[in-house]
Amino acid sequence: MRDHNEDSGFLAPCVGLVADGVGGAEAGEVASATVAAAVVGAVLDAGADTPERTLVLGADRARAGIRRAIQQDLTRLGMATTLTVLMCDGERVVLGHVGDSRAYRLRDGALAQLSTDHTYVAHLVATGQLGPEAVGRHPWRNVVLRSVDGDPADQGIDLVPVEAAVGDRFLVCSDGLTDLVPDEEVAELLGAGAPDEAAAALTEAALAAGGRDNVTVVVLDLVDGSVVEGTAVGGTAAEGSGTRLGALVDPVNVVDPGPVRFGSEAASAL
């Protein structure tokens, strides 16, 4: 139903991310693309640095980039973006997160949410002021309390070590999916077929449920890189007018993630 896309995404053998811009006329799409580019640049520059330090560097660059973009065009004042990113260094997977985009892990059919929503209603639930069953009906359910907005004094991003094993499947997505498709259906569709098929099916499910918002989906499998040759990167978008991939970048020259990496990645964005 949207006439423009404020989401950005990226995927490569060592990283997958989604950024969902906010601000409407204040160029949310500029915010999300700025953040995605900053984090990817930090990954490319990381060398042998840890995922935590790499993600902090990317978030710092993203904050500075948004601040510069606003200074260059004051009509962008108020633009901001979520950021949810999974990074693998060959041994560990680390989540960097701020906002209400989400990361999930699917293992043996069980779906686990890895990220914590930085929203007003999530705060109400966490403090016992609202029951989980009432979240979907709350009038302020889309109010985000934390984002990347250029403020040098913000809280930064959450860094979460992820318990991961070869064979796990990961999902990074904007709230255009999770606001409309329940977790039970997400788990079923995420586990069906190859990553590109799962990404397409999840996007189609969000459209079928009303498609009120931009939908960006990144699906990644954790594989044993010592037995995988080359880099399998693909993408698919839902059929229909206006569909496109969001910020899908060829991972040539991405830092070698070592023996464990994300493989057979897929992205779908609308």
Side-chain angles (χ1 to χ4, degrees):
M1 296 174 65
R2 296 289 182 89
D3 60 3
H4 67 292
N5 189 358
E6 294 187 320
D7 289 358
S8 293
F10 178 87
L11 68 163
C14 60
V15 64
L17 71 81
V18 166
D20 180 358
V22 297
E26 289 79 31
E29 65 273 21
V30 175
S32 67
T34 298
V35 167
V39 174
V40 172
V43 172
L44 293 173
D45 292 342
D49 212 343
T50 66
E52 289 87 351
R53 285 196 291 265
T54 300
L55 294 175
V56 168
L57 174 62
D60 288 345
R61 289 182 178 180
R63 191 179 305 111
I66 290 180
R67 190 161 57 249
R68 286 194 302 271
I70 293 172
Q71 290 169 347
Q72 292 166 2
D73 184 350
L74 292 181
T75 64
R76 296 169 175 166
L77 188 64
M79 75 178 186
T81 182
T82 70
L83 172 63
T84 303
V85 52
L86 289 171
M87 184 174 178
C88 176
D89 67 354
E91 296 180 355
R92 299 182 301 125
V93 175
V94 175
L95 168 69
H97 171 71
V98 61
D100 64 348
S101 298
R102 290 183 179 177
Y104 293 87
R105 180 191 62 220
L106 184 69
R107 177 184 292 173
D108 298 327
L111 187 71
Q113 183 175 334
L114 305 174
S115 57
T116 299
D117 293 348
H118 296 139
T119 61
Y120 179 67
V121 293
H123 167 73
L124 293 179
V125 172
T127 55
Q129 301 177 65
L130 185 70
E133 70 284 352
V135 168
R137 303 188 302 272
H138 199 283
W140 292 356
R141 61 186 177 275
N142 295 122
V143 174
V144 177
L145 300 181
R146 290 173 56 191
S147 61
V148 184
D149 61 4
D151 184 351
D154 73 15
Q155 300 179 53
I157 61 173
D158 290 349
L159 295 171
V160 182
V162 176
E163 195 279 307
V166 170
D168 288 346
R169 175 165 287 185
F170 294 94
L171 166 67
V172 186
C173 61
S174 60
D175 63 349
L177 173 69
T178 53
D179 280 353
L180 294 175
V181 182
D183 283 357
E184 296 78 8
E185 187 176 356
V186 169
E188 180 181 355
L189 296 174
L190 183 60
D196 59 339
E197 296 170 329
L202 289 164
T203 304
E204 290 285 3
L207 296 177
R212 297 193 303 263
D213 199 356
N214 304 140
V215 185
T216 301
V217 172
V218 177
V219 177
L220 311 103
D221 288 339
L222 192 65
V223 301
D224 183 349
S226 64
V227 297
V228 175
E229 296 182 359
T231 301
V233 176
T236 184
E239 294 180 359
S241 62
T243 62
R244 66 182 180 87
L245 289 175
L248 182 61
V249 181
D250 188 350
V252 175
N253 298 323
V254 169
V255 178
D256 182 3
V260 180
R261 66 180 184 183
F262 296 127
S264 302
E265 306 91 343
S268 181
L270 178 60

